[in-house]
Amino acid sequence: MKRKKTAGQTSIRTARRLWTNLSREALNRLREIATQDNFSVGAGDLTYLNNGWYVTHTGLLGLARRKRCCGIHVEAVDSLCDSGVNRFVLKATVFPSKG
């Protein structure tokens, strides 16, 4: 009988292909995040920057849909953005539905 791969296992396999220098700690954290919130590296939900996992806008939208949220407010963090090198940091707040 074939075992079904978990979201964490699939994301770890994809992450190892994309980022060859991931530490054991980074992979363990990825497994936790992917399993807990059903994020996928392959779907573009997470990215690895400066030794940490960050949720992309795609991941945030997917999470909001799964949690049936009613809105998202997004604003740029000007002190961290640099358009000259195409680096943009956004702060997003997700609003849950009342039901």
Side-chain angles (χ1 to χ4, degrees):
M1 176 191 256
K2 209 174 186 183
R3 251 178 44 182
K4 185 178 176 186
K5 291 184 180 110
T6 66
Q9 291 170 323
T10 303
S11 284
I12 286 173
R13 181 172 285 125
T14 304
R16 281 186 168 151
R17 277 193 304 247
L18 294 172
W19 301 283
T20 57
N21 60 339
L22 293 174
S23 67
R24 185 177 306 255
E25 182 181 323
L27 293 171
N28 287 337
R29 185 67 185 127
L30 172 58
R31 181 181 293 112
E32 290 172 16
I33 294 168
T35 303
Q36 178 182 353
D37 294 313
N38 200 26
F39 286 129
S40 166
V41 170
D45 296 340
L46 297 167
T47 192
Y48 190 72
L49 298 170
N50 299 324
N51 298 315
W53 293 104
Y54 292 87
V55 179
T56 65
H57 75 283
T58 302
L60 181 62
L61 291 173
L63 179 62
R65 184 177 38 248
R66 288 190 299 276
K67 299 286 185 175
R68 296 192 168 128
C69 294
C70 65
I72 301 174
H73 174 75
V74 181
E75 60 185 276
V77 180
D78 292 331
S79 63
L80 298 175
C81 293
D82 185 351
S83 60
V85 293
N86 289 325
R87 181 182 66 209
F88 302 95
V89 178
L90 305 172
K91 175 184 171 185
T93 304
V94 179
F95 299 98
S97 62
K98 294 187 194 277

